[in-house]
Structure formats: C-alpha cells, structure tokens
Amino acid sequence: MTHAPASEGIDSGPDPAKGIERNAEIEEGAVKPHNFGLIFAALMLTMLLGALDQTIVSTALPTIVGELNGIEHMAWITTAYILAATIGMPVYGKLGDLMGRKNIFLAGIALFLVGSVVCGLAQNMGTLIAGRALQGLGGGGLMITSQAIIADLVPPRERAKYMAPMGAVFGLSSVVGPLLGGWFTDEHSWRWAFWINLPLGILAFFVAVVAIKLPRKAVKVTLDYLGTALMAAAVTCTVLFASWGGTQYEWSDPLVIGLGVGAVVAWVLFFVAEKRADEPVIPLHLFRSPIFNVATLLGMIVIGLGMFAIVGYMPTYLQMVYGKSATESGLLLIPMVVGIMGTALPSGAIMSKTGKYKVYPIAGTAIIMLTAYLMSTLDVSDPVWLVCVYVFLAGAGVGLMMQTLVLAVQNDFPAAEVGTATSANNFFREIGATLGVAVVGAVFASRLTDQLASSIPPEAAAKIGDSDSLTPALVRALPADLRDTVVNSYQEALVPIFLYLLPVFAVGLVLAFVLKEKPLADNADWHAENAAPTADKEPQPVG
C-alpha cells in the first residue's frame, strides 16, 4: 500500500495499537484537525466566490456594455469565465493530487483576486473579458480544490454532512448572484460586483495559509501539455457551439458547423492523447469505475438539465407571464435554495450515520421527474405561489443529488486520486449543463418563433418585432389583447418543454437504480488506507 507522508508543520507519533501515525492536532477517534471549523468556513467562502461570479454579472450586463461600448462582445463576459473555469477544473484536480492541494488552492485564490482587480479597473471590453478569463481560471480551482481538501481532511462517511452545504452553495449562488449584481449596479456601481471579492478572498487566503495543513507530496510533476491543450480546444469548441448555435448564429452557419466538427475532432484527439500520456489530466482508467461513469452521467443529465433549465428560464417566465420585475423574479427563486438546503443537510447527516447513499440519487431524480411533469401543466391563470412550490420541489431533488454524486465518486478512489476524480466529475457535469441549457434554449426559441408567427396578426407583429427582441418591459407596454396573446405564446413555447424532458429524466432514474452502492469508508477504514506509515517504515511519495 502507498502511504502519505506526515502533514506539514505537525508533529506525529505512531499509534502502537494500530501502527498508524496520528496527527497531533487530531482528536482521539476523529480525523479532522481541531481548527476544522475555521478551515471549512474558508473553503465555503471560496466556493461561494467561485460559483457566485458565474452569475453575478448577468443583471449588470446591459449597464456594463453600455458604459464600455461593447454590446457586440457582451456574451463573452459570461462565456470567458465559464470557459476558463471548465478548462481549469481537471488541471487543478490533477496538480493537487501530484503536488499537494494547499499551494494549488492558494494559487487559485490569487488568480481569482487578480482577475477581480482587472475587471474592477477595466476601461474597455477587451480588458474586462481578459479579467473574466483570469477569474475563471482561479474560480475553477476554488470550486474543485475546496471539495478535494475536504476529502483530504475528512473520511467519506463523516464527509457527507460537510459536502451537503458545499453543494447548496451552487444553488444559493444561482439566485443570490443576479440579485447582488443588480443591487450593486442600481445602488453603487457594477464594478462592486468585482471589488467585493477582494476583502473576502484575502480573508480566505490568509485563513488557508495559517490553518490548512496538508501532506507534502515530493513527486516529480510531469504536466500533460498536449492533453491540456486538446482539452482546452475541445471545451472551447463545445461551449461556443452550444452558446452561439441558434442564438447569435443559425445552426446552419459555417462557423457553428465548424465549431461542432472541431469539438468532435478535438475530443477524439484528446482521449487518444490521454491514453499515451504519462500523467494524463483526465486518466482513462477513471472510466473503468462503474460508479464514476454512472454518477457522472447522472449529474450531466439530471442536475445539468434539471437545475439549470429551471434557473435559466423560470425568472424570465415569471417576468413575462406574471409581470414581475427582474428583482422580484430572482427573489421568487429563493424557494429553490430552501429546497436544496432542506434536503441536502439532513440527507448528508443521515449518510454520515448509515454510510449509505444510493437512495438519495433515486429519490432526487424521481422528485425532479415529478417536478418536470408538474411544470408542464402550468397555466397562465395559475397563482405565483404554485410556481414557487414547483421551484421548491426542484431544489429538493437537486439537494439530494448534487454532492451525493461527488461523494460517491470520491469514495470509489484512493486519496492519491481524489482530486482528479472530483474534478473530472465536475468537469463533465459542467459540459452537460452547457449543452443541456443550449438544447433547451434552442427548442424554446424555435417554439416561441412559431407560436408568435401563428397567433399574432401580421399588422400587429411590427409592434413586438421578432422573438429575440421580446422583453418583459415591451410586453407590459402592449395593448391588453396583444399582451395576452404574447403571454400565451410564451407559455405555450416554454411549458411543454418540461414534458419533453421526462424521457431524459427517466434515463436518469434508471441510472440512479444502476448506481452501485459502495459503503462510505468510516474513520478506521480511511485511516488504514490513507494515514502515515508505521515508525519502522520510511514515508513514500504519493501521486
């Protein structure tokens, strides 16, 4: 068995009963350090910052592009962050496994803070987009390395109750981000969406420097440059194909077709390169694990579509159909966060007690399937509270699954590979979410165009323009009869899509039943596999 060396800066001594060296800071019968609460708070804060910056600029975009005169590049403010974060995830995971996670984590925070400064000072769109890319490179590391550090400090069984609130951070950020960005823009300046990161990020940085003690990993690092470059090309082509197709460009446009072909070719070359690499950024042996394959597919299908379709389209639905403001529609998504917290926290606590996790993805997928069906029955006459109930149910389903799937993957790999496995799982989930939202958006845009064309008389069509120019303010300003027609068209375009998703979620439910349950390792098992060697053996490098 390969053993990890003793932690940095901590004296340790062998346990004569078990032959296991125990960290002096670790209490008897536990594995986490006495200052774990402080460490956990810093990890939660950095995860929140990384997740928040995916959405915080969404409500500020009109003001930003107006001030910087860059409306033609508006999409890149969001795309640059998502691209950089997605590409960075596997790299951070692999480097953390090879070199140790503390310095990698600190580098991620530093990059994120530098990117935030660049964005806050930006005087043109080029500088802002470059800053967003830097932020994304750091943000991807914050999200991945935080989860991996928890895996270094806490065994899987106990880890469940800590992973649950970390998963809830993503749901929270999807709601709080747009609200916070809008408030900064309206009351202060959109630049505060970036300046706010500095005091919080600096605080997390210094807490991490002082409090986190992780093993040194004295290994020679061989970076997979070719694999990383091909992965970056594949992700870029995939994300741009999904983001631009059917929106900025027709699906038949040569650029979109070229991106699709480029994505396929880059992915094929990437996996060929990974097969030959000494230290592949995404090792192919991960795919020999049934738990990794099923959990990753399940996350791509159910969470990628389930959560992001609701987050992406419910606010606009509330604005269009119910006449709510942007802020009000964001606040009406709070039930989703309540649902996530309401199921993630108790399920995590129960998993820690029982060591079993399989029932939660099954229940979560079933709840999301039910929610999709209920949403497909929505009518313009339904009260707003009913929409909030459905949003709550969707959050409850996601809360049972989001970090449970990550935990299942971590539990199936040794500590030396937990960062790589965690990052690969999150990486493919991000890809799935991007593609899922793109597909739902393309179907919705096509249906809305058809509905408007068939229900609005030609003489009235000039008043609203095409579906791309349709805004809540424009709809509210229309005459009552025309407004009702547009609202009904919007309703008929969006609501049936949730019914179309049922077969996809049914596949997810089958996967949830197929997911193998491997009992979560408890303290003794985790120590036996990952603790330092006995006193009569020399520590061996990990990685």
Side-chain angles (χ1 to χ4, degrees):
M1 182 184 297
T2 302
H3 296 284
S7 298
E8 296 175 345
I10 301 176
D11 295 325
S12 56
D15 182 333
K18 296 184 178 180
I20 296 173
E21 292 192 12
R22 293 188 182 274
N23 187 316
E25 290 189 11
I26 295 177
E27 299 173 1
E28 186 68 29
V31 295
K32 57 182 186 292
H34 68 83
N35 62 348
F36 179 77
L38 181 63
I39 296 172
F40 185 64
L43 297 178
M44 287 281 286
L45 177 59
T46 53
M47 276 194 72
L48 178 62
L49 291 176
L52 203 62
D53 268 62
Q54 293 189 62
T55 59
I56 197 169
V57 299
S58 59
T59 44
L61 283 177
T63 303
I64 293 174
V65 299
E67 185 174 320
L68 300 183
N69 298 314
I71 192 168
E72 69 274 13
H73 303 301
M74 181 171 70
W76 278 103
I77 298 176
T78 301
T79 303
Y81 187 95
I82 294 174
L83 264 178
T86 305
I87 292 168
M89 284 179 180
V91 177
Y92 277 101
K94 186 66 178 181
L95 289 178
D97 284 342
L98 292 175
M99 301 171 60
R101 270 175 264 283
K102 180 174 179 177
N103 289 336
I104 297 297
F105 181 60
L106 295 176
I109 297 177
L111 265 178
F112 182 79
L113 293 177
V114 170
S116 297
V117 171
V118 172
C119 290
L121 295 174
Q123 299 299 315
N124 56 67
M125 287 293 285
T127 304
L128 180 63
I129 292 168
R132 289 288 286 167
L134 276 176
Q135 272 194 309
L137 282 176
L142 301 186
M143 292 183 281
I144 292 302
T145 314
S146 294
Q147 297 176 70
I149 288 175
I150 290 292
D152 282 340
L153 298 175
V154 184
R157 186 157 175 171
E158 188 180 0
R159 193 184 309 157
K161 61 187 178 186
Y162 297 108
M163 295 290 282
M166 295 184 86
V169 162
F170 290 95
L172 179 67
S173 66
S174 65
V175 175
V176 173
L179 289 173
L180 200 56
W183 182 75
F184 280 136
T185 302
D186 293 339
E187 301 297 328
H188 302 284
S189 165
W190 58 265
R191 297 179 189 274
W192 276 101
F194 305 111
W195 294 131
I196 192 64
N197 294 328
L198 298 185
L200 300 177
I202 291 171
L203 174 64
F205 185 93
F206 281 106
V207 170
V209 168
V210 174
I212 297 177
K213 307 292 183 182
L214 294 174
R216 293 188 183 96
K217 297 189 177 181
V219 295
K220 182 179 179 180
V221 177
T222 304
L223 294 179
D224 179 16
Y225 293 109
L226 178 60
T228 301
L230 288 170
M231 181 191 67
V235 171
T236 301
C237 289
T238 301
V239 171
L240 294 183
F241 172 80
S243 302
W244 289 354
T247 54
Q248 291 183 265
Y249 302 93
E250 296 293 332
W251 288 107
S252 58
D253 189 282
L255 177 60
V256 175
I257 294 173
L259 286 170
V261 173
V264 173
V265 172
W267 280 118
V268 170
L269 293 176
F270 168 69
F271 285 112
V272 170
E274 295 303 89
K275 187 175 182 180
R276 300 177 179 179
D278 292 331
E279 288 291 349
V281 66
I282 299 182
L284 297 189
H285 74 259
L286 294 180
F287 299 98
R288 291 201 293 266
S289 163
I291 291 178
F292 175 84
N293 291 335
V294 173
T296 300
L297 280 172
L298 195 52
M300 290 174 67
I301 290 173
V302 180
I303 298 175
L305 280 176
M307 187 176 84
F308 289 100
I310 292 169
V311 171
Y313 292 96
M314 274 297 105
T316 310
Y317 180 83
L318 289 165
Q319 293 175 51
M320 288 289 194
V321 175
Y322 293 95
K324 302 297 180 182
S325 68
T327 301
E328 289 172 335
S329 66
L331 290 172
L332 288 171
L333 285 185
I334 289 178
M336 185 184 74
V337 179
V338 175
I340 292 175
M341 297 290 288
T343 56
L345 297 181
S347 65
I350 295 171
M351 277 188 281
S352 289
K353 290 182 179 180
T354 64
K356 297 181 178 181
Y357 56 78
K358 182 171 180 175
V359 65
Y360 302 107
I362 294 173
T365 305
I367 291 172
I368 290 175
M369 276 189 71
L370 173 63
T371 305
Y373 170 74
L374 292 173
M375 285 186 165
S376 73
T377 65
L378 282 172
D379 187 77
V380 293
S381 61
D382 288 332
V384 173
W385 65 261
L386 186 62
V387 179
C388 292
V389 169
Y390 295 165
V391 168
F392 168 83
L393 286 175
V398 170
L400 289 170
M401 298 181 64
M402 182 169 283
Q403 292 303 94
T404 304
L405 296 176
V406 176
L407 184 64
V409 168
Q410 290 181 344
N411 187 58
D412 198 40
F413 289 90
E417 291 190 305
V418 73
T420 300
T422 301
S423 63
N425 177 264
N426 281 268
F427 171 77
F428 286 112
R429 180 191 295 178
E430 194 79 18
I431 295 293
T434 301
L435 293 175
V437 170
V439 170
V440 170
V443 173
F444 169 65
S446 175
R447 286 179 56 82
L448 182 58
T449 299
D450 293 342
Q451 287 288 332
L452 291 174
S454 62
S455 60
I456 296 179
E459 60 274 13
K463 295 182 179 181
I464 64 170
D466 58 26
S467 59
D468 292 336
S469 60
L470 203 59
T471 65
L474 175 61
V475 172
R476 288 194 293 269
L478 293 172
D481 56 341
L482 188 56
R483 180 174 65 248
D484 291 342
T485 301
V486 172
V487 167
N488 285 319
S489 296
Y490 199 93
Q491 159 85 15
E492 290 299 322
L494 179 62
V495 165
I497 293 177
F498 294 113
L499 192 63
Y500 300 163
L501 293 176
L502 285 181
V504 179
F505 293 145
V507 172
L509 188 59
V510 172
L511 288 171
F513 276 103
V514 170
L515 179 65
K516 178 183 177 182
E517 180 151 62
K518 180 179 178 180
L520 297 175
D522 60 17
N523 289 20
D525 295 335
W526 191 76
H527 267 305
E529 181 176 354
N530 299 307
T534 55
D536 61 341
K537 294 182 181 179
E538 289 298 321
Q540 299 296 317
V542 174

